[in-house]
Amino acid sequence: MTEASKTSLFGSEPTRSMPTIDVDGLNPAQREAVLCTTGPLLVLAGAGSGKTRVLTYRIARMIADEGVRPWQVLAITFTNKAAAEMRERLGHLLPGGTRGMWVCTFHAMCVRMLREDPELVGYAPNFTIYDDDDSKRLVKSIMNDLDVDAKQFPLQAIRARISTAKNALVYPDEMEGTAQAPLDRKAAQVYRVLQTRLERANAMDFDDLLVRAYELLSGNPSTLSSYQERFRHISVDEYQDTNHVQYAITNLLAGRYRNLMVVGDDDQSIYSWRGADIKNILAFEKDYPDAHVVKLEQNYRSSGHILNAANAVVAHNSRRTPKRLFTDAGDGEKIRVYQASDERDEGRWIGSEIERLHDTGVSYDDVAVFYRTNAQSRVLEDMFLRAGVPYKIVGGTRFFDRQEIRDVMAYLKVVVNPNDDVAALRVINTPRRGIGSTSIGKIRSYAVSNGLSFFSAAESCIAETSLLSPKVRNALGEFTGAVEAGRAMSGDLSDVVEAIVDRSGLLKALEAEHSMEADGRIENIKEFFGVAAEFDETHDDVAETLESLEQLRRAGALDQPPAAPSPPWPWGCLPSLRRSCPRSWSGSRFAPTSTRSTVRRVPSR
């Protein structure tokens, strides 16, 4: 940081006339948190308890009533959307009085710091930030150079291991020294080369932004001192979802004045799979023994019966701070539980309940169906289509349009009809076998020249030693052998489908990724086996089943008409409810909680 920039940041500025912040409209716990403006503060905010209001009112009061300068405030959120909402609210509370305040995500904060002093961490001022696609391409290139078998060590699994290491501040040397499993050892090798190439390219990936910012602050006392002096009041939202490097950066910045407010809910910690450490919020009082703790337990979203049920569920969490949500809105309707005999019975019951509500005048637009995993949508979609209930999937893709399901169907199509070039082209290198676009182009040219289907050309090219490399010809033999084996299979339809998928290698490739996304795809494929079992009773063979499935997929293509201002569909929301779903519906909502479990009718807010 230059002396001139420090002067502009920390120098005097004309005092603005700020409105006094009225805290009388806050409930007692909210007011207690807002009025606590010095020292460490832990706010345990239950769902729907008004934490954003507390955050913004507290910052506004410090500036309007206590003389804190806007540029002395740092407010960290976890999404750009949340940061924008906080800036908007602060703008309403402090018209024209937020200039110089940092309200941003951890990554955005780190970028600003690194742009100010890149040379202190070995980078030029014009360093590049690689997005996810850039990073993926670079890691793939490194794996090719190191001759890492992508089938045995999938790209996504390698990247996940490296990301976890970076977020835990584990460097290549340490990772290589502690790696035990073969995947970890390979990831450590790739990690070392990755960092070398990133530095040579004057580039950082998203994880590097956090790591390099930590290095900037921890390795340069004068720089750290400047930011500590500037940011005398720090607020961090969603603290339960911070990882180790974010935790370390926060504590460095708050080290001098210790005016640190963290807000979170240990009952809502859902990102451990990407490095979030719930111990950060649970150990806050250990890190800051003089911390003031406030619990926001009054809920403004739900009725009493819903909160009582939620309290009973989260009480079983093994690591949590005791708290119990309550509401002044009354008990509301009781939660109804329907014990279905199986998932199809569950789907039928939900469809019939929606139709019953619709017959009483409830709009389809006022109904929502929540489910836990993507694979569950298949039965619901099937039952809705059979019942004539229009629907739209929110935040996701219809079951039969999902990539892995279309891959499975393409394999089945090639087994039934090897002349289906579109299907064969889709799966010849799915999962990856090392048959690249150049080889595929040669096979297509061979097919055209010899008047063959693409699949027949692939079989013939296995013997063309001058056309393709041994590695590609072996991969072709693997692909065509799987298809031919499928053509020779007999028995129950569901067993045949499962055997074909097993020979294809789709499941093995996904299992090797060891990622949440891959686990979801595996669930979907296994759900497809259930589809085949259901069709066993009414269909004679795979060909007939495929035709019915295609009809079902086309029937589900109920996209929103462009001119319709209010779509008349019940909304199916995917598991990430906080990210995917609207905040409320004016009518009733249904929430299937597992594949063969309960269905809850939840009254609107």
Side-chain angles (χ1 to χ4, degrees), residues 151-173:
K151 290 176 68 176
Q152 186 178 0
F153 305 106
L155 172 65
Q156 285 302 100
I158 293 287
R159 295 184 70 219
R161 292 296 196 280
I162 295 173
S163 179
T164 298
K166 289 185 178 184
N167 287 325
L169 288 175
V170 173
Y171 291 85
D173 285 343

Side-chain angles (χ1 to χ4, degrees), residues 286-300:
K286 189 175 181 180
D287 294 334
Y288 299 90
D290 57 334
H292 185 67
V293 180
V294 178
K295 296 180 182 180
L296 301 183
E297 297 174 296
Q298 184 169 355
N299 178 280
Y300 293 93

Side-chain angles (χ1 to χ4, degrees), residues 1 108-119 121 123-130 202 204 209 216 227:
M1 222 183 243
M109 176 191 72
C110 292
V111 169
R112 294 177 75 167
M113 291 179 173
L114 291 167
R115 290 293 184 197
E116 189 70 31
D117 295 297
E119 67 284 348
V121 289
Y123 282 79
N126 62 337
F127 68 83
T128 301
I129 300 171
Y130 280 3
N202 193 36
M204 303 182 201
L209 295 175
L216 174 68
Y227 283 112

Side-chain angles (χ1 to χ4, degrees), residues 391-407:
Y391 70 93
K392 180 179 176 67
I393 299 290
V394 175
T397 307
R398 289 185 299 270
F399 183 82
F400 289 105
D401 284 341
R402 290 170 190 163
Q403 175 183 321
E404 61 277 10
I405 300 304
R406 300 196 74 165
D407 289 342

Side-chain angles (χ1 to χ4, degrees), residues 326-371:
F326 69 92
T327 182
D328 289 339
D331 288 338
E333 292 185 47
K334 288 186 176 181
I335 296 173
R336 294 171 56 204
V337 179
Y338 176 77
Q339 182 65 53
S341 59
D342 57 27
E343 66 271 28
R344 298 188 67 77
D345 180 35
E346 181 182 64
R348 277 191 293 267
W349 185 81
I350 295 172
S352 67
E353 282 293 292
I354 292 173
E355 283 300 282
R356 182 183 63 78
L357 287 169
H358 188 249
D359 290 343
T360 64
V362 175
S363 169
Y364 285 131
D365 192 35
D366 292 336
V367 180
V369 179
F370 297 92
Y371 45 87

Side-chain angles (χ1 to χ4, degrees), residues 358-387:
H358 188 249
D359 290 343
T360 64
V362 175
S363 169
Y364 285 131
D365 192 35
D366 292 336
V367 180
V369 179
F370 297 92
Y371 45 87
R372 185 176 57 83
T373 65
N374 286 342
Q376 286 176 259
S377 79
R378 200 275 305 173
V379 171
L380 291 170
E381 291 181 70
D382 188 11
M383 293 297 100
F384 286 174
L385 288 168
R386 293 172 188 270

